Amino acid sequence: MTSPRDTLPGAPIPFPGEPDVGRETAREMGLTDAEWERVGFFLGREPTYAELGVFSVMWSEHCSYKSSRVHLARLPTEGPQVVQGPGENAGAVDIGDGFCAVFKMESHNHPSYIEPYQGAATGVGGILRDVFTMGARPVASLNSLRFGRPDHERTPYLVRGVVKGIGDYGNCIGVPTVGGEVQFDASYDGNILVNAFTVGIASTDALFFGTAEGVGNPVLYVGARTGRDGIHGATMASAEFDDASERKLPTVQVGDPFMEKLLLEACLEIFAADVLVGVQDMGAAGLTSSSVEMAARAGRGLELDLDAIPRRARGLTPYEMLLSESQERMLMVARAGEEEKVLAICAKWDLEAAVVGRVTDSGRFVCKATPGYDPLVDPPSARAPQLVVDIPVGALADEAPKYDRPQAEPPAAPVTPAPSLELDPNEALRALIGSPNLGSRQWIWRQYDHVVRDGTVFRPGEADAAVVRVFCERDGEPAREKFLALSVDVNGRHVLLDPFQGAAMAVAECARNVACTGAKPLGLTDCLNFGSPEKPETMWRFARAIDGLAAACRALDVPVVSGNVSLYNETDGAPILPTPTVAIVGQLEDPSHRVGMSFVRAGDLVAHLGAPSRGALGGSEYWVWQTGYVGGAPVGIDLDAEVALSRALLALARERRLASAHDVSDGGLAVCLAEKCLGKGLGCRVHLPSGEGAPALARLFAEEPTRAVVSFAPEARDGVAAICAAHGVPFEVIGEVGGSELVVDGAVAIAVGELAARHHAALAPIVG
């Protein structure tokens, strides 16, 4: 453990104008009394105001993962396809020929609730930087969104703002948003979720890492100037909401996608010049976190000259410069003597850049600044830097607090009436296909440029996963085409009923979506959204969900290569549904293997793959629609059966047997069939898969996993059946494509046109 040092003659002294520091100040910054004492132990003295700010952000839940690190260690992170696992800005998996897919997902939940446009926009900007910081060019983005009740007075404003923020930022920078998911639930009324995902492509031997190597090497600041926006954003993201939350607007960052585009191109050119030893984007906690994380990874120290920081606001204090989360900024460590090349490239792209520090062998984070000095004042005062921060790097990184918080299984939910099974299935399907959680997202998709860069193969709504063509380029070699499938998924209702099974179901569905398109899943990133870790029930759910994710990832051979934890997602003590969002990147061996979800030819046979439904409605959309609450018994998942289905789907795609494939998930079999009809307006006539005991209505709307509906030419029937048999997957032909109605014998008969009208109008009551 880092030992405290005695107060030295050269120790930091309070900066003129700084507030007094004490236990109460530490509490206001989010530190506990025990953590305040720990600060004193590491320093051997009281901190300056700037130092206390540094501790508060680096020890925040958002930056330190202090409540989750003990559990995250149980996730599988290795595999032959893994190029870079957790611990860097993003993870990477091998896609062949010396190239890798680099990807990550991050949350921007609290900022997006306070200011939805900028919160969502800067969430996109941040995840893009995580990817191109690694040396990868971003090629596609996804998002996972959660809003409150459709009829909540604030929901329309939040939906419009978030969607516009995502669209404007992604569209301006020229990275297509190719898919995502949206759900509405009362638990998100006061705490929405905005989870952003990006994937990029890089040469495997040309990845860059966030490390401050080389004593004496110069540290450079590149990008937008520093302002006061986003100060203490990381701390705000590590606290639950209350009635005062909307007054936290100054903690929300402001983005500029055009500046980000310049930064992206400049960074890629700097990387190609081979002049850097490390690079880190300034995300949460800004200059502080980027400096400390780079120094910690290298086991070095870092010294910053805050007088040299480019700024756009007058009178910035060391505290403000260190904690600002102004967007579109990078911290780089260049090889000694190469800094002029970095500065020249930045000048070419009209970017601010300055040498602001150096790597040291002290193992300490040291910052100096001149009282009263302001480069924006003409003329600025003379510089006479004094020590304002001097903290052991280890105290801010590896030796930050780590808690194994108490866990307690929540009490059993009160028994309440189950939904009626006497309804007309036609009326149930009409209602569900046009509901906000199951209806068309076209209003959202139309605001995203999902075809920019000409790589989108399956647009939103055309397949279970997005499919993009990426161009892998290396100097002196012809470009190679690769095809990636991308999916993001989770259903918090199933996680609430059983965190282990629900989290495993999220991984399984995401992998199944990728397999349905004909791609092999390669790697996973997650964004674990939960309530307060100080509640034992929340930590029990979190720990169980981690184990569920781990079990499914091991079974499906999909290692976790990156991720994010977002805790304190609750308002006035009411938590959100536990929402461990996962995103998976897969790869198609050949573009001809791709499979869409919609019926494409009249006369094709329709088959159900997987065990027939037991009619288990627990956690289903049907249950919530009928009762107004999440209830019922957990439906569970058989991971061995899921592996078999995934492999069968992949084999069927590779042998080009299928015309379409769509997994059975939210809304059950009835909604799955309806969605397959909507794509091209083709109906079908089918019967329910063989099964006994459960009423037809329950089997139509149950959301039991590990099932898919496929279609294929009649002459392919024997081949499809043989592949399913070889993998041990139940196979049953249930009908035929054709006509203008969806007909399920004895249960449903609705015109496809009527289903389409209801489906497309789903979001109209919310957004107009």
Side-chain angles (χ1 to χ4, degrees):
M1 176 178 289
T2 302
S3 59
R5 75 173 197 167
D6 296 328
T7 302
L8 301 175
I13 60 175
F15 207 71
E18 282 186 346
D20 292 335
V21 171
R23 190 181 302 271
E24 190 58 38
T25 313
R27 289 174 185 159
E28 292 172 0
M29 291 187 184
L31 295 174
T32 66
D33 287 352
E35 289 168 348
W36 163 252
E37 299 291 343
R38 191 176 174 91
V39 168
F41 168 79
F42 280 121
L43 295 181
R45 54 176 171 78
E46 283 200 351
T48 65
Y49 188 71
E51 287 177 323
L52 187 60
V54 168
F55 273 105
S56 72
V57 292
M58 292 307 298
W59 285 5
S60 69
E61 199 72 60
H62 191 76
C63 291
S64 73
Y65 288 26
K66 58 189 175 186
S67 298
S68 58
R69 279 186 287 166
V70 297
H71 301 289
L72 297 175
R74 300 198 297 275
L75 293 171
T77 59
E78 298 180 349
Q81 70 271 45
V82 176
V83 175
Q84 176 61 52
E88 272 293 340
N89 290 291
V93 294
D94 181 45
I95 57 173
D97 298 318
F99 293 93
C100 59
V102 179
F103 58 96
K104 191 180 181 184
M105 183 161 51
E106 281 270 7
S107 63
H108 231 222
N109 303 335
H110 288 186
S112 298
Y113 182 79
I114 295 170
E115 210 297 295
Y117 179 86
Q118 290 294 351
T122 53
V124 173
I127 199 63
L128 286 165
R129 288 195 303 279
D130 279 341
V131 168
F132 72 73
T133 299
M134 298 287 291
R137 178 174 288 279
V139 294
S141 292
L142 306 173
N143 53 72
S144 175
L145 311 177
R146 294 293 184 277
F147 299 100
R149 290 166 293 165
D151 59 353
H152 190 277
E153 62 181 2
R154 193 171 165 85
T155 297
Y157 163 73
L158 292 169
V159 172
R160 293 190 189 104
V162 165
V163 170
K164 183 169 175 57
I166 292 171
D168 283 0
Y169 207 101
N171 297 353
C172 288
I173 199 170
V175 176
T177 302
V178 295
E181 53 143 18
V182 185
Q183 283 194 349
F184 299 84
D185 186 89
S187 72
Y188 305 107
D189 279 351
N191 195 129
I192 65 174
L193 302 184
V194 176
N195 295 173
F197 164 96
T198 290
V199 61
I201 301 300
S203 293
T204 302
D205 60 0
L207 290 177
F208 283 80
F209 303 103
T211 183
E213 293 282 3
V215 173
N217 278 337
V219 176
L220 292 97
Y221 174 117
V222 173
R225 297 184 177 193
T226 294
R228 289 189 171 91
D229 51 316
I231 293 175
H232 262 299
T235 308
M236 178 269 292
S238 305
E240 63 179 274
F241 277 166
D242 54 30
D243 293 338
S245 294
E246 291 187 46
R247 296 200 295 270
K248 296 178 179 177
L249 186 61
T251 64
V252 178
Q253 308 92 332
V254 177
D256 180 350
F258 300 105
M259 175 68 74
E260 180 113 336
K261 176 62 173 175
L262 296 176
L263 185 62
L264 163 63
E265 299 300 339
C267 283
L268 294 180
E269 186 171 337
I270 291 168
F271 298 158
D274 192 25
V275 295
L276 299 185
V277 297
V279 57
Q280 179 87 13
D281 82 291
M282 295 189 214
L287 181 61
T288 290
S289 64
S290 56
S291 302
V292 170
E293 289 171 8
M294 292 183 78
R297 291 189 185 111
R300 296 295 183 185
L302 209 66
E303 182 178 304
L304 295 179
D305 175 8
L306 299 182
D307 290 351
I309 299 296
R311 57 192 82 179
R312 55 180 166 82
R314 288 190 173 187
L316 287 177
T317 66
Y319 172 90
E320 291 172 324
M321 285 186 278
L322 287 168
L323 271 62
S324 169
E325 294 182 9
S326 295
Q327 296 291 284
E328 294 88 36
R329 301 181 301 160
M330 290 283 188
L331 199 67
M332 299 179 177
V333 176
R335 293 191 185 90
E338 302 281 17
E339 56 268 37
E340 291 302 325
K341 293 181 181 178
V342 176
L343 296 172
I345 293 172
C346 290
K348 168 187 170 182
W349 290 98
D350 199 23
L351 285 175
E352 290 282 348
V355 176
V356 298
R358 63 187 180 90
V359 179
T360 70
D361 60 0
S362 68
R364 306 185 73 83
F365 178 49
V366 173
C367 304
K368 298 179 179 179
T370 300
Y373 175 77
D374 189 342
L376 299 183
V377 174
D378 189 21
S381 61
R383 294 182 55 192
Q386 72 177 43
L387 192 62
V388 295
V389 171
D390 186 1
I391 303 173
V393 168
L396 300 171
D398 294 342
E399 296 176 44
K402 181 168 66 173
Y403 302 128
D404 189 355
R405 295 191 184 272
Q407 300 177 32
E409 184 173 357
V415 177
T416 51
S420 169
L421 295 178
E422 303 300 323
L423 300 180
D424 177 0
N426 290 284
E427 290 307 309
L429 181 55
R430 288 187 179 99
L432 291 178
I433 199 66
S435 67
N437 277 348
L438 300 176
S440 171
R441 276 68 178 108
Q442 187 179 51
W443 179 87
I444 296 174
W445 297 334
R446 289 178 65 181
Q447 297 183 62
Y448 301 155
D449 188 339
H450 44 260
V451 296
V452 64
R453 297 184 62 84
D454 195 32
T456 306
V457 176
F458 281 140
R459 301 185 183 191
E462 294 183 340
D464 278 17
V467 174
V468 294
R469 179 177 67 248
V470 298
F471 303 96
C472 301
E473 298 176 298
R474 189 182 290 118
D475 288 346
E477 300 179 10
R480 296 173 174 85
E481 287 186 348
K482 305 282 184 180
F483 292 81
L484 303 180
L486 318 170
S487 179
V488 60
D489 227 305
V490 69
N491 188 322
R493 299 189 304 266
H494 294 297
V495 183
L496 180 69
L497 294 180
D498 186 325
F500 181 97
Q501 300 283 352
M505 287 170 64
V507 176
E509 182 177 349
C510 211
R512 197 183 321 129
N513 288 338
V514 168
C516 278
T517 65
K520 178 182 178 181
L522 295 178
L524 176 146
T525 184
D526 57 43
C527 197
L528 309 179
N529 307 276
F530 286 78
S532 170
E534 298 170 38
K535 295 180 178 178
E537 293 84 0
T538 295
M539 287 312 301
W540 181 85
R541 290 191 174 104
F542 184 87
R544 291 283 294 161
I546 287 287
D547 291 337
L549 294 175
C553 287
R554 288 192 178 94
L556 291 159
D557 188 24
V558 189
V560 179
V561 298
S562 60
N564 171 244
V565 177
S566 176
L567 301 177
Y568 291 100
N569 287 291
E570 54 183 71
T571 301
D572 294 328
I576 62 167
L577 288 175
T579 313
T581 311
V582 298
I584 286 179
V585 173
Q587 184 176 10
L588 287 88
E589 285 186 346
D590 187 286
S592 67
H593 296 165
R594 67 188 185 276
V595 181
M597 78 179 209
S598 301
F599 293 133
V600 296
R601 286 188 304 263
D604 277 356
L605 299 181
V606 180
H608 179 277
L609 307 187
S613 170
R614 298 173 282 111
L617 288 168
S620 66
E621 194 70 32
Y622 179 87
W623 188 294
V624 176
W625 169 61
Q626 277 289 289
T627 68
Y629 66 90
V630 179
V635 297
I637 185 170
D638 180 340
L639 289 174
D640 290 336
E642 188 68 48
V643 171
L645 177 61
S646 182
R647 290 174 178 171
L649 287 166
L650 196 57
L652 289 166
R654 287 175 174 174
E655 294 197 16
R656 302 175 181 83
R657 303 281 185 177
L658 301 180
S660 72
H662 187 24
D663 83 313
V664 179
S665 55
D666 295 354
L669 178 64
V671 170
C672 172
L673 289 166
E675 289 172 342
K676 290 182 72 66
C677 292
L678 293 175
K680 297 186 180 299
L682 281 170
C684 67
R685 177 177 287 275
V686 301
H687 62 78
L688 284 171
S690 302
E692 298 179 1
L697 189 141
R699 288 190 282 152
L700 281 167
F701 297 105
E703 296 178 4
E704 296 146 311
T706 322
R707 297 182 290 154
V709 175
V710 300
S711 64
F712 45 84
E715 59 269 23
R717 175 173 183 160
D718 290 345
V720 174
I723 289 173
C724 289
H727 288 85
V729 173
F731 165 83
E732 182 180 355
V733 173
I734 59 173
E736 183 177 312
V737 179
S740 59
E741 288 186 309
L742 166 58
V743 178
V744 182
D745 289 346
V748 173
I750 308 178
V752 173
E754 181 183 353
L755 291 172
R758 290 177 178 269
H759 188 63
H760 291 149
L763 296 183
I766 303 173
V767 297

